[in-house]
Amino acid sequence: MKEKIKIEKNTVQETLIIPLYARKLCTERFPRLFQDKAAVELLEHLDYDFSGFEKQSQSLMQVFGALEVAMRQNDLAWEVKDYLKEHPYAAVVNLGCGLDQTGRNCDNSTCRIYNLDLPDVIRVRNQLVPAGDREENIAADLNDFSWFDKIDASAGAVFFAAGVFYYFQKPMVKKLVTAMAEKFSGGRIVFDACGKMALKLMLKTWIKQAEIQDVGAYFYVLDAAAELGGWSPFLQVSNRGYMLGYFPMDDPDIKGIHRFLAKIGDGAMKMQIVRIDFRKKR
């Protein structure tokens, strides 16, 4: 991109750069823990007033929020790469992709990468992050299962979703996951989830704006195996804490208070990566 692309306030484009900035912040602050050079480079091509982000970039909660984003992406990437070890030609599918490039970061040179999001988001992505080799950007509503037919899962499929299902009601997530288990036998989906307390904190502003009364209607998880495993006999469910469950936060630049918050997150807040393997039918 030779010219900078203008990002207007209060638009879909602005919501897409928030997690992007978090990944940039972690790349600069904690390089031993997390690297996303693509995010750093992409932000350099955007015409946007980052002063508000930069003003808060040293605050305790802003840094911890960036750490959450970084650890989540590291965890999801670990699961994708783990699946690709046994299914090197599989489809790697980023659900609710935004401007995230985790699929490319997991590329083993033989897999096929799909990035799915709503049409307005894909229009922005096509402009900022055009699809590369063995890659396709697909405009789709995740709840309209016609997108299933656009995924070549003949050699397996691993799906991942970062920060997506919090905004879905529980029956919607159940319907989507069980339908995927039927369609993509032998595949895997991994996503982040949290408990009800964390969900209330996370969606506080959004809930107020949307005048939502029943937070419990939205997707949260306390005991993933018990709660989700009963959805279908074709689901094998497991979970790990997403702050400390995959990688030690041993970067010396991480403060003790951040490690303490991470323990609370994985513990009381039930912040977790849920992995669901789709059992093959006999």
Side-chain angles (χ1 to χ4, degrees):
M1 290 178 288
K2 295 181 179 180
E3 297 182 2
K4 287 196 173 187
I5 295 176
K6 177 73 173 177
I7 302 295
E8 302 290 348
K9 292 284 187 179
N10 302 315
T11 62
V12 65
Q13 291 97 325
E14 186 179 35
T15 64
L16 296 177
I17 65 173
I18 294 172
L20 205 62
Y21 189 86
R23 293 196 287 273
K24 170 184 179 291
L25 180 58
C26 265
T27 297
E28 295 173 346
R29 290 285 299 271
F30 311 113
R32 298 176 187 86
L33 179 71
F34 182 76
Q35 283 288 323
D36 191 342
K37 294 181 180 179
V40 176
E41 293 173 0
L42 186 54
L43 286 172
E44 291 175 352
H45 292 283
L46 301 182
D47 178 6
Y48 179 80
D49 181 8
F50 290 100
S51 60
F53 290 140
E54 291 167 354
K55 189 179 298 183
Q56 298 294 322
S57 64
Q58 302 301 317
S59 71
L60 172 68
M61 295 312 296
Q62 181 84 352
V63 172
F64 184 69
L67 274 171
E68 286 183 349
V69 170
M71 297 308 292
R72 178 178 68 190
Q73 296 307 122
N74 277 346
D75 299 345
L76 294 174
W78 187 96
E79 290 286 3
V80 170
K81 291 174 182 178
D82 178 70
Y83 186 86
L84 289 175
K85 289 176 184 177
E86 294 189 8
H87 306 84
Y89 294 92
V92 174
V93 189
N94 190 344
L95 304 176
C97 60
L99 296 176
D100 175 57
Q101 298 183 57
T102 298
R104 292 183 184 181
N105 295 338
C106 298
D107 189 3
N108 63 353
S109 299
T110 56
C111 65
R112 184 161 184 82
I113 301 167
Y114 299 89
N115 304 296
L116 273 70
D117 216 317
L118 295 170
D120 285 349
V121 175
I122 292 299
R123 276 195 289 272
V124 177
R125 185 179 180 94
N126 285 336
Q127 187 177 16
L128 294 173
V129 192
D133 295 338
R134 293 175 288 101
E135 185 176 14
E136 186 175 352
N137 295 336
I138 298 175
D141 181 339
L142 295 183
N143 293 302
D144 176 358
F145 300 160
S146 60
W147 64 264
F148 285 9
D149 294 328
K150 298 180 181 179
I151 308 300
D152 179 359
S154 57
V158 55
F159 304 82
F160 65 98
V164 174
F165 291 155
Y166 303 113
Y167 304 96
F168 283 31
Q169 292 191 357
K170 290 179 182 179
M172 295 166 61
V173 179
K174 180 179 179 180
K175 184 177 180 181
L176 173 62
V177 170
T178 54
M180 290 175 69
E182 287 281 339
K183 176 70 173 180
F184 302 107
S185 177
R188 173 184 300 172
I189 183 171
V190 288
F191 55 88
D192 56 313
C194 65
K196 189 173 182 179
M197 185 189 311
L199 183 67
K200 284 184 177 180
L201 294 173
M202 190 178 304
L203 302 184
K204 185 176 180 181
T205 302
W206 178 71
I207 288 168
K208 184 177 180 180
Q209 291 173 344
E211 298 182 350
I212 292 172
Q213 302 298 320
D214 182 14
V215 177
Y218 286 79
F219 184 70
Y220 66 89
V221 174
L222 298 177
D223 184 339
E227 295 172 37
L228 312 185
W231 284 357
S232 164
F234 301 111
L235 305 183
Q236 181 177 337
V237 183
S238 59
N239 68 296
R240 299 192 202 181
Y242 83 60
M243 294 304 295
L244 298 166
Y246 287 80
F247 302 95
M249 291 175 61
D250 54 5
D251 190 313
D253 293 324
I254 296 177
K255 296 180 179 179
I257 184 61
H258 290 135
R259 292 190 178 88
F260 175 70
L261 290 173
K263 289 180 180 179
I264 293 176
D266 284 1
M269 296 296 178
K270 303 293 183 183
M271 293 164 56
Q272 59 195 284
I273 298 295
V274 177
R275 166 176 158 176
I276 302 178
D277 290 296
F278 304 142
R279 292 190 177 103
K280 291 185 178 180
K281 301 175 185 178
R282 294 179 180 178

